[in-house]
Each structure stands twice: as structure tokens, then as C-alpha cells.
Amino acid sequence: MALPLEQATRLTASLGSPPPLMSWSEWASSLDPESAQSRLQDLSPAGTPKWTRYIPHEPHPTQWAFLLLDSVLEVFFGGAAGGGKSDALLMAALQYVDVPRYNAILFRRSYADLSLPGALLDRARDWLEGTDAHWNDREHTWTFPNPEYDATVYKDGATLTFAYLQTEKQRHRYASADFQFIGFDELTTFTETMYRFLFSRLRKTEDLVVPLRMRSASNPGNIGHNWVKARFVDPGTPDAIFIPSLVHDNPSLNISEYLVSLAQLDPVTRARLLAGDWNVRDQGMFRQAWFSLLDMAPRAALKTVRYWDIAATEETDDNDPDWTCGARLGLDPRTRLLYMLDEKYVRLGAAGVEALVGSTAKLDGVETVIRMEQEPGASGKSLINYYSRHVLQGYDFKGLPSSGSKEARAAPFASQAEAGNIHIVNGPWVKGFFDEAEGFPMVEHDDQVDAWSGAFGELMRGNEVRSQTYIRPMAAEVIRR
């Protein structure tokens, strides 16, 4: 939930009272920066955040509120670009590094994200080089002197680690670790399962006098936009706090020049990065409401095709490969309606994919046509030849080279969905399909849409369906829910 006005007012009582119906963030950002900073200095000790000498500058008003919430387990600092989010996370991580055995960790989605100029690693180096904190390059960890000894003793000293979670499996690297502070920068680049798993690492011994804190920051947008918005923004998880932040909340930023840069962006991205708008979204090619959901397939005899989009790379800790998807689509010759009957969606190596394709063909029966996307070049032809002779002999099988963009191939299928001509037989795969389809083509993986579009294209060879409408090219428009 957003930080309640009453609570925010208590946290920053010396700033005065915001006008009615104005959020704390809007009010704080409307203050003259010098006036806001001078009033912040008048806060009582009870309203002053925990501080250490490793934090090199005073926080801006919204950062101040973020740092005060020690008693709250989960706080999200989000909104516009340039609002001081990364600084706020790094400050929060450093608040207790003068306490022995305190461990903090900050995540980005990839190491490249961590190491960009001005990103977390670079910023921490600027703050901590020249201090008595010690850097371990192999572990990406700063260790701080233990104040129970002298300044040269690091035994049991606090640590601040920088890490990344590029794949789902990488979260298990931390299965035996203990942290008292966990921070996610650009939370919308992560999956919800990654975020929720790390709560299991947030723990401490009874004698360690520090709060447990899960902190995150992000702009709107990206693959995790929907779950982050649902958890924090509207209405949000009851015990989690959302602190909105706008570009004007950061008086150290050259706002006039930054606004010129943001003005060059498309309307959706500009609304997210300038206004911190969580309701604006890109227009995807599909809508869930276009599809009719059925409990079982129709009894009518259907003409069916199973189309495979093969990706034979197994998931490891260090990759995020495409998925193998096999989509079975049916056409009712009498009504000319289409039925999405079944989907196989897996990450397996070559042998596993081969076994799945073979066993699925047996379950579908010889009456189901089987098609497979044929990759360019000799390797693509070789794979199709292998499946013809060793896996799918006796079935109506062939490889089909793809042509045109993914969006162009998906457009006729989307048009039929929009016209109400496609029904889905409910199954455990349906939610995952909608998650991908409603974001397509702005998604990390589009293997399901590729497979269903391929099945539709093959099924329609020489056939006509009820509607001849085709989807219009996507316009750069803003959709609000």
C-alpha cells in the first residue's frame, strides 16, 4: 500500500502538514529543496534515521522517509526515474554496517546491470573507497571493521554483498545464507518467485540487535510490472509500504536537462519514467477477454495439428534459454471455430525434447498432423530429417521454415481471437499462455505465441475461417486499466 498520509506526516512532522488530498510525495516534491532540507534538520532524534559514517550525504525527503521505516519488514521505493532510488537502497543497506555480524545484500537482475557506470557497484565504490571498508573482488563484498576491536580487525565485521539473479535457479545459491537486509534494485526486472524466495534468507540470531528488512526500488514497466503493482501499489500487500518518488524529489539532479532527455521517449515510457505512472501500459497483441474458456473439448470431430517450436537447451544457473512448446490446435469443419486443446511447455535437453515429442505424438494419435519450425541452414534440415526417420515415422510430419517477423506471423491468429473465433480448453498451461500473450511482443520469451501462431498457420492452409478480419498494426497508444 502507499504510505498513508497520517503515517507519513508523523514521520516527517517538522516539515509541516500537506494540503488536503495531496499525497506526501507530491507535497514533499513541491517544497523548495533548501527549505525542505532545513526543516528536515529540525527533526527530533526519534524522527532521525539510523546513520553511519559510510553514508556520504544527507537523504532527500522521500529517502528520509524510506530510511525511517526500520520497524516495517517490507518497503518499496518506486516511481519516476531520477527519484534517488538506488541511492536510497544503498543508504538503507549501510545503516547498520557498524554492527558486528550484520549482513546485507543488494540484487540486480544481471552482473552487467550491477556494473554499469553509476549503478550500484560503481556507486558503492565511490562511497566506500578511501574508507576503512575492505573490498573482496571475487565475492563482490565489502567488509567493515568490527567496532568491538580496533579499526584493523574485520573478524565478524558487517558485510555488504552485491549479487545478481539472472535465472530462477540462481536463487538457490543463497539457500543457506542469512541476511538482515535484502535489497532489490529495479524490482520489476525480477520474477515474483525470486523475490518471495529471498524472504526465507531474512533471519538473525536472538542476540543480533538489528531489524530485518526487505527493501526494493523500481520504475514502472518491465516483465515484473504487474506483480509489483499488485503487491505494492493497488491496493498492495497490507503490511508492505510503498513510498512514491518523482524526479522532483531529487534536488541533486539537473532536472531541466533530464526532462529534455525524457521528452524524447515514447508516450508510455515517458509516463512511467517522468510521472511514475503505474497504470499506463504497452498495448500487447492479445487480450484474455477475446478467448472463450471451456471445461472440455467439443465432441465434434476436429481437424487437429500439433506444432512444435523446439529449444533444446537445458536451464542452468547461468542461462535463461528459450522454451520448447508444442501447441495442439483444432478446427471444427462444420462451425469453422478453433479450439486450443493442449500445450506442452518445457525446458529440456535434446534427449528430453525428443522423448516428449514422441510420447505426445502417441497420445495425440496419427490423425493429428505434426509440424515443427525448421531453423535456417543445414542444421535445421538435419534436425527435421532426424525426427522424420527416428521419432515421428508413421505420422504426418514435416518441418516448416518460418518467414517474416514474429508479430506478422501472430497477427492472423490474434485477429481470429479478437473476432471471438477461438476457444480454449482449460488446463494448467492456460495461465502461462495468457501471461505471455497479453504482453507479446514485449516479453522475455515468446515461444508459446510462436507455437500457436505456427499451428494456426498450418491449420489454415487451404481453409477459411468465419472471420476475414485481420488485426491492425499495433499503434503507439496508451492503455489504462
Side-chain angles (χ1 to χ4, degrees), residues 350-351 353-359 361-362 370 372 381-395 397:
V353 170
E354 180 182 324
L356 177 65
V357 171
S359 62
K362 292 178 181 178
I370 305 172
M372 185 177 291
K381 293 180 180 179
S382 176
L383 181 66
I384 297 301
N385 184 46
Y386 176 83
Y387 269 85
S388 277
R389 291 185 294 112
H390 298 287
V391 183
L392 296 172
Q393 196 169 42
Y395 295 91
F397 168 72

Side-chain angles (χ1 to χ4, degrees), residues 169-465:
K169 286 187 176 180
Q170 285 179 342
R171 69 184 190 268
H172 296 296
R173 291 177 177 176
Y174 308 97
S176 61
D178 294 348
F179 298 101
Q180 293 75 56
F181 176 96
I182 298 174
F184 287 83
D185 197 12
E186 295 302 340
L187 183 61
T188 56
T189 64
F190 295 87
T191 66
E192 186 173 10
T193 52
M194 290 174 175
Y195 178 74
R196 292 173 68 94
F197 175 82
L198 267 296
F199 274 96
S200 67
R201 305 300 92 213
L202 203 59
R203 55 189 183 179
K204 64 178 181 177
T205 57
E206 289 187 5
D207 60 337
L208 186 55
V209 188
V210 296
L212 297 179
R213 296 175 294 158
M214 179 70 79
R215 298 293 184 263
S216 55
S218 192
N219 302 316
N222 222 303
I223 62 166
H225 176 95
N226 288 341
W227 78 261
V228 172
K229 182 173 182 281
R231 188 174 185 88
F232 295 103
V233 182
D234 58 1
T237 302
D239 295 329
I241 296 296
F242 167 44
I243 298 183
S245 179
L246 301 176
V247 63
H248 296 285
D249 292 333
N250 187 351
S252 63
L253 187 70
N254 187 324
I255 293 176
S256 59
E257 289 185 358
Y258 192 51
L259 293 179
V260 171
S261 298
L262 292 179
Q264 312 309 311
L265 300 172
D266 64 90
V268 170
T269 306
R270 185 166 63 248
R272 287 171 172 169
L273 299 188
L274 177 58
D277 192 334
W278 287 90
N279 293 315
V280 63
R281 68 180 178 92
D282 301 296
Q283 182 184 13
M285 190 174 280
F286 295 85
R287 301 285 183 275
Q288 181 174 340
W290 294 347
F291 298 84
S292 298
L293 198 63
L294 304 177
D295 291 329
M296 61 177 59
R299 295 182 179 180
L302 303 178
K303 180 181 179 181
T304 57
V305 60
R306 172 81 69 172
Y307 188 95
W308 289 96
D309 183 9
I310 298 293
T313 302
E314 290 187 87
E315 184 182 14
T316 69
D317 285 350
D318 299 309
N319 68 0
D320 186 24
D322 286 335
W323 295 72
T324 289
C325 186
R328 187 172 183 239
L329 184 66
L331 171 68
D332 186 330
R334 183 180 61 84
T335 64
R336 317 303 293 170
L337 293 174
L338 295 155
Y339 295 88
M340 298 169 66
L341 301 170
D342 178 61
E343 178 187 285
K344 309 297 183 189
Y345 190 58
V346 297
R347 273 174 168 163
L348 297 170
V353 170
E354 180 182 324
L356 177 65
V357 171
S359 62
T360 302
K362 292 178 181 178
L363 291 172
D364 290 343
V366 293
E367 65 276 7
T368 294
V369 171
I370 305 172
R371 296 293 181 259
M372 185 177 291
E373 182 174 351
Q374 180 177 316
E375 298 294 334
S379 62
K381 293 180 180 179
S382 176
L383 181 66
I384 297 301
N385 184 46
Y386 176 83
Y387 269 85
S388 277
R389 291 185 294 112
H390 298 287
V391 183
L392 296 172
Q393 196 169 42
Y395 295 91
D396 182 353
F397 168 72
K398 65 173 66 173
L400 297 175
S402 60
S403 60
S405 69
K406 294 175 182 287
E407 292 93 326
R409 297 199 299 271
F413 183 58
S415 176
Q416 291 306 311
E418 186 178 16
N421 297 335
I422 301 179
H423 301 272
I424 295 185
V425 179
N426 201 8
W429 55 273
V430 171
K431 182 181 183 300
F433 166 75
F434 283 134
D435 287 344
E436 179 181 304
E438 288 201 298
F440 177 84
M442 299 78 63
V443 288
E444 275 194 301
H445 296 285
D446 50 21
D447 313 286
Q448 296 173 94
V449 172
D450 275 356
W452 287 107
S453 301
F456 175 79
E458 176 61 21
L459 201 55
M460 290 301 101
R461 291 180 191 275
N463 288 285
E464 293 182 355
V465 289

Side-chain angles (χ1 to χ4, degrees), residues 90-158:
L90 190 53
M91 287 177 179
L94 292 169
Q95 282 182 284
Y96 288 88
V97 294
D98 56 353
V99 178
R101 296 181 290 109
Y102 163 78
N103 295 312
I105 189 167
L106 285 168
F107 285 101
R108 283 296 304 262
R109 186 63 192 265
S110 70
Y111 180 74
D113 293 332
L114 271 176
S115 55
L116 287 170
L120 286 173
L121 272 177
D122 194 39
R123 198 167 308 209
R125 190 176 297 112
D126 287 344
W127 289 15
L128 299 176
E129 277 188 347
T131 71
D132 52 9
H134 175 72
W135 172 247
N136 184 319
D137 194 54
R138 185 174 67 86
E139 301 292 337
H140 300 129
T141 297
W142 289 94
T143 303
F144 298 83
N146 186 337
E148 295 175 350
Y149 306 100
D150 61 42
T152 62
V153 177
Y154 293 84
K155 182 180 184 299
D156 293 332

